[in-house]
Amino acid sequence: MFDDAAAAAAPFLPSLRKLGMYDLAVSFLTPHRIVRDKVLARRKVAWIHTDYSSIGINAERERPVWSSYDRIVSISPEAGKGFLSRFPELEDRLMLMENIVSPRAVREQAALEDVSAVMEGSPCLCTVGRFSHAKGMDRAVRIAARLVEMGMNGLRWYLAGYGDEASLRREIAAHGMEEHVVILGKKANPYPYMAACGLYVQPSRYEGKAVAVREAQILGRPVAITRFPTASGHVEDGVDGVIVPNDEEGAAKALFSLLHDPARLEGLAAACRARDYGNRDEILKLEALV
């Protein structure tokens, strides 16, 4: 998926060809035409970060760019399937390399700050991500409103991230959720907030692979995610997380039930604490391309 603003700026970016030939050039973010046109390399690799089956794209516009790369890296099997639904002819170039997450680093950063005085509420929910359509932060507000209507008057749902904050605040005001939905803003270290919540919720409309979900699991938090197309690649449903309906009413009912079941919440948290989510060896896949 192309970032139109970045794509418009691409022609004005300086070429790196004069620096010589690289062994490997990685285009980690769009627009991928920058590495294609401005870098000399024996091999070039481009990354897929989203679910192409869930977004509107101009496949004919993007096909020449993707086709110019030697390998195309998907961050999850499900995201790879979504990509192939639009570009099936590129299957032989596709490879899997998950986002690398260090459990030790996540836990160390979570311990750097005590936010218990900030993370109030019963129940206390947290979501981390961009304030964008894909991440569904607006849906979090409306789900929160339904939970309050169902009797959860002590609810606090903390949103950490950045993006279209003005629209999000308007949504909060429109539903009278000022006391229940708290915008924390952009946090260089969101882990203390994730570690302090009673339930981490990912209300996304679609995802490639949400790193924040894995980080919450590393921190031993029970996790609930909406049933977006790639959801099954994020949690083992009912074991180290739950997948709730991908509509606001269904999600609210499922969360209400979950939040009233302390034993189930603890079971999810215990499963997360028992698992090793480290995947440092993924970097070997990149090294093998050189």
Side-chain angles (χ1 to χ4, degrees), residues 10-252:
F12 303 100
L13 296 175
S15 173
L16 300 179
R17 289 175 172 266
K18 62 183 179 182
L19 298 178
M21 180 70 70
Y22 291 93
D23 292 318
L24 179 68
V26 174
S27 181
F28 194 68
L29 295 172
T30 57
H32 294 303
R33 67 180 72 171
I34 295 175
V35 170
R36 180 195 67 175
D37 297 340
K38 297 179 181 293
V39 179
L40 289 175
R42 293 181 178 86
R43 303 198 78 187
K44 294 185 179 183
V45 179
W47 245 255
I48 305 167
H49 291 279
T50 191
D51 176 16
Y52 265 71
S53 67
S54 300
I55 59 175
I57 64 166
N58 185 328
E60 293 307 309
R61 177 188 174 195
E62 294 199 23
R63 182 169 284 107
V65 179
W66 288 112
S67 299
S68 69
Y69 281 86
D70 298 292
R71 299 304 297 268
I72 300 167
V73 178
S74 171
I75 59 174
S76 74
E78 295 76 17
K81 291 176 184 177
F83 179 82
L84 291 178
S85 71
R86 302 298 181 92
F87 305 102
E89 72 279 8
L90 297 177
E91 183 175 9
D92 62 337
R93 304 191 194 186
L94 193 67
M95 63 177 285
L96 172 67
M97 182 176 174
E98 295 186 349
N99 294 312
I100 299 174
V101 181
S102 168
R104 185 178 69 177
V106 170
R107 294 182 185 118
E108 287 178 349
Q109 291 181 69
L112 292 177
E113 187 178 357
D114 180 3
V115 298
S116 57
V118 176
M119 301 291 285
E120 301 175 334
S122 179
C124 178
L125 280 54
C126 181
T127 300
V128 177
R130 299 185 311 279
F131 298 161
S132 65
H133 177 78
K135 295 296 182 181
M137 297 292 193
D138 58 313
R139 300 205 300 176
V141 177
R142 294 189 289 274
I143 293 169
R146 284 178 165 82
L147 289 172
V148 172
E149 289 174 359
M150 296 166 74
M152 287 193 162
N153 296 316
L155 171 74
R156 296 292 184 278
W157 194 330
Y158 295 88
L159 308 179
Y162 64 95
D164 189 359
E165 185 173 321
S167 292
L168 191 56
R169 290 194 180 279
R170 286 195 294 271
E171 192 74 28
I172 291 170
H175 290 84
M177 287 291 103
E178 293 90 344
E179 297 299 317
H180 300 283
V181 179
V182 181
I183 296 179
L184 295 171
K186 186 175 183 179
K187 295 294 181 182
N189 179 11
Y191 303 122
Y193 300 91
M194 298 169 74
C197 73
L199 177 67
Y200 181 85
V201 184
Q202 194 72 42
S204 301
R205 290 180 169 89
Y206 59 88
E207 288 281 356
K209 188 67 177 287
V211 178
V213 171
R214 181 64 78 237
E215 292 165 338
Q217 291 171 317
I218 288 170
L219 293 170
R221 295 295 79 210
V223 170
I225 66 175
T226 42
R227 193 176 295 281
F228 43 81
T230 64
S232 62
H234 288 68
V235 304
E236 184 179 354
D237 190 19
V239 180
D240 65 348
V242 296
I243 302 175
V244 303
N246 203 17
D247 65 276
E248 293 159 18
E249 183 176 356

